[in-house]
Amino acid sequence: MDSLLEKFENKAPEIVFEWSDPETEAEGWVVINSRRGGAAGGGTRMRKGLNKREVESLAKTMEVKFTVSGPAIGGAKSGINFDPKDPRKEGVLQRWFAAVSPLLKFYYGTGGDLNVDEIHEVIAMTEEAGIWHPQEGVFNGHFKPNEASKINRIGQLRNGVVKVIENPEFTPDVSRKYKVADMITGYGVAQAVHHYYDIWGQDYREKRAVIQGWGNVGAAAGFYLAQMGIKVVGIIDRDGGIHKQEGYSLEEIRNLFLNRNGTQLSAENMIPYDQINEEIWDLDFEIFVPAAASRLITKDQVDRMIGTKLEVISCGANVPFNDPEIFFGKTGLYADDNLSVIPDFIANCGMARVFAYLMQGGVALTDEAIFEDTSDVIRKALQNVHDLSSSTQGISKRALEHSLKQLVK
């Protein structure tokens, strides 16, 4: 695998688009790793301190993810170096989408990502810029549909991504009108845990979990894990956290989801960040879900989790380990060699899979069909890894090698 990985990582991206906002200090990049299959896809993120290298690495990660989620296209990513709490954010995003609209029209598809909302920002602002849908470029570049087919499938995308979830099995509160885009990534992260234990022949009920990050991915994953009977024993978020060794009930997790302050944990008796960050890694738990920012998990934290009862890490965050390498550095390799690590390109492929599903002709637009399709794709990916070897270690390496063989000639 090493030679495949070296070739893939060192190959220069096919297209790098650079942008400087004329009205603020914001700067941004679209990196298209390749136009495999005539198009490329990847979300739009914003954070202060983001750089081109980060966007390049995420574009390569997206290319691997598409070997799991489909369609068979290249990987891309958009990144804007700007403080998302700045009141000028809306104007920055509007000018950004206007600048990249030619790419979005012909061969690039995007969506929401870190600090950029899929529905209220990406879909709304690309429409203002003259784009039928943020995935229009994938239609034109990859599917090359006739006009009638394109209109039909974009209609599916428009309706499916923003569909209000009606089935109480898939939402913490039907009355809050959560949409597919709000819940699907966290659902996939939880389903990855479900399928891991099922395929490797273990029972996940009564297992315990710690969640890092309580935004859309972490909170949704926590809700679905609790639904499965898994006890969430700790949550660590940016400003603090909570833990209880006996675990929180489904109703408690539901309330923690519903009572968030925006996308942040809000709970009584919140433990300050420095304290929770010292205590949480030594709890007894079998499942860890990193679902915050990239590159946070240190080797010391991995060591401490190995020292307890940890069995599986389901990666809700992209590139969660604190390594400079795109895919595997020392920390990530160490975790993969000692634990079951379900990689991000499998565990958090939910939104990419929803796009791929809705781009097909004549699919069902029910909650059950959309969510079950994502679950089935994640199960198939994990089954492929198990078929290569039933070892509970090295899952990420086997999964990556399986994907790279499809990408590197």
Side-chain angles (χ1 to χ4, degrees):
M1 187 193 75
D2 290 346
S3 62
L4 290 173
L5 185 57
E6 183 179 5
K7 287 179 182 178
F8 185 69
E9 287 190 342
N10 292 336
K11 186 178 183 296
E14 184 175 336
I15 297 169
V16 178
F17 174 94
E18 299 196 32
W19 174 78
S20 295
D21 184 24
E23 297 187 26
T24 71
E25 66 276 17
E27 56 182 348
W29 302 266
V30 178
V31 175
I32 293 175
N33 191 58
S34 81
R35 286 184 294 166
R36 172 179 177 247
T44 300
R45 65 170 43 194
M46 176 186 286
R47 74 172 183 85
K48 190 174 182 179
L50 180 144
N51 58 40
K52 182 169 70 174
R53 169 67 176 170
E54 179 179 333
V55 184
E56 289 177 350
S57 68
L58 291 168
K60 289 185 182 292
T61 300
M62 284 303 306
E63 189 142 330
V64 171
K65 184 177 290 187
F66 285 125
T67 67
V68 174
S69 71
I73 60 174
K77 205 73 174 181
S78 290
I80 304 169
N81 176 17
F82 191 69
D83 184 354
K85 293 183 177 180
D86 192 301
R88 300 171 294 171
K89 176 189 178 184
E90 181 178 357
V92 169
L93 280 175
Q94 287 172 333
R95 292 185 293 275
W96 165 262
F97 285 120
V100 302
S101 59
L103 284 67
L104 291 167
K105 177 65 72 173
F106 294 106
Y107 55 78
Y108 171 46
T110 195
D113 200 276
L114 184 68
N115 299 316
V116 178
D117 184 78
E118 170 75 27
I119 297 166
H120 301 104
E121 293 174 328
V122 179
I123 291 176
M125 292 181 185
T126 52
E127 190 171 275
E128 288 176 3
I131 305 301
W132 286 14
H133 188 276
Q135 296 292 318
E136 183 178 356
V138 176
F139 279 109
N140 289 330
H142 178 69
F143 291 99
K144 297 180 172 61
N146 60 38
E147 197 72 4
S149 175
K150 179 178 171 182
I151 291 169
N152 174 263
R153 297 191 192 187
I154 283 182
Q156 285 184 169
L157 270 168
R158 283 176 176 266
N159 294 327
V161 172
V162 302
K163 181 188 181 303
V164 173
I165 300 170
E166 301 166 283
N167 186 332
E169 180 182 347
F170 300 112
T171 176
D173 186 345
V174 173
S175 69
R176 297 280 188 103
K177 297 186 176 180
Y178 290 107
K179 299 176 175 64
V180 168
D182 297 323
M183 303 297 294
I184 194 68
T185 304
Y187 175 78
V189 172
Q191 285 295 293
V193 172
H194 177 167
H195 295 315
Y196 163 78
Y197 280 111
D198 189 41
I199 291 169
W200 268 266
Q202 300 179 52
D203 189 354
Y204 59 77
R205 287 170 296 185
E206 302 305 319
K207 299 286 186 181
R208 296 159 297 185
V210 162
I211 315 287
Q212 182 189 46
W214 203 241
N216 282 349
V217 177
F223 167 69
Y224 293 120
L225 289 172
Q227 250 190 352
M228 290 160 52
I230 291 166
K231 292 288 187 183
V232 177
V233 299
I235 302 166
I236 178 169
D237 205 13
R238 186 175 64 190
D239 296 329
I242 56 174
H243 64 72
K244 184 166 66 172
Q245 187 60 73
E246 62 270 29
Y248 296 93
S249 68
L250 172 58
E251 195 57 34
E252 287 173 314
I253 292 297
R254 189 193 312 274
N255 288 333
L256 288 168
F257 184 111
L258 297 174
N259 294 329
R260 287 179 298 166
N261 179 17
T263 57
Q264 293 186 39
L265 178 67
S266 176
E268 293 183 4
N269 304 315
M270 281 266 286
I271 301 169
Y273 179 81
D274 288 345
Q275 182 181 345
I276 191 77
N277 191 43
E278 181 58 37
E279 296 173 352
I280 201 164
W281 312 108
D282 299 318
L283 298 176
D284 286 335
F285 57 99
E286 292 80 18
I287 299 159
F288 176 53
V289 174
S294 300
R295 306 185 190 280
L296 293 181
I297 306 303
T298 66
K299 184 177 181 297
D300 174 68
Q301 290 164 348
V302 173
D303 265 328
R304 290 167 67 179
M305 289 189 286
I306 290 172
T308 59
K309 293 180 169 63
L310 188 65
E311 296 171 349
V312 59
I313 299 176
S314 185
C315 297
N318 289 318
V319 199
F321 298 104
N322 186 20
D323 295 318
E325 290 83 1
I326 295 173
F327 289 101
F328 278 125
K330 290 182 179 179
T331 307
L333 283 169
Y334 180 69
D336 195 47
D337 286 341
N338 287 277
L339 300 162
S340 296
V341 180
I342 305 172
D344 50 8
F345 55 86
I346 294 177
N348 74 11
C349 77
M351 197 68 241
R353 180 57 204 169
V354 169
F355 287 145
Y357 174 78
L358 295 171
M359 287 178 188
Q360 300 173 86
V363 295
L365 296 183
T366 64
D367 298 335
E368 296 80 5
I370 294 169
F371 280 78
E372 288 171 11
D373 174 76
T374 290
S375 177
D376 290 346
V377 165
I378 290 171
R379 182 180 182 87
K380 181 181 177 182
L382 287 174
Q383 185 66 58
N384 286 338
V385 176
H386 184 270
D387 291 346
L388 294 170
S389 169
S390 61
S391 171
T392 56
Q393 285 80 46
I395 289 174
S396 286
K397 279 182 286 190
R398 297 199 299 279
L400 182 57
E401 183 173 15
H402 183 74
S403 292
L404 289 175
K405 285 179 177 177
Q406 301 172 56
L407 299 174
V408 179
K409 305 301 180 184

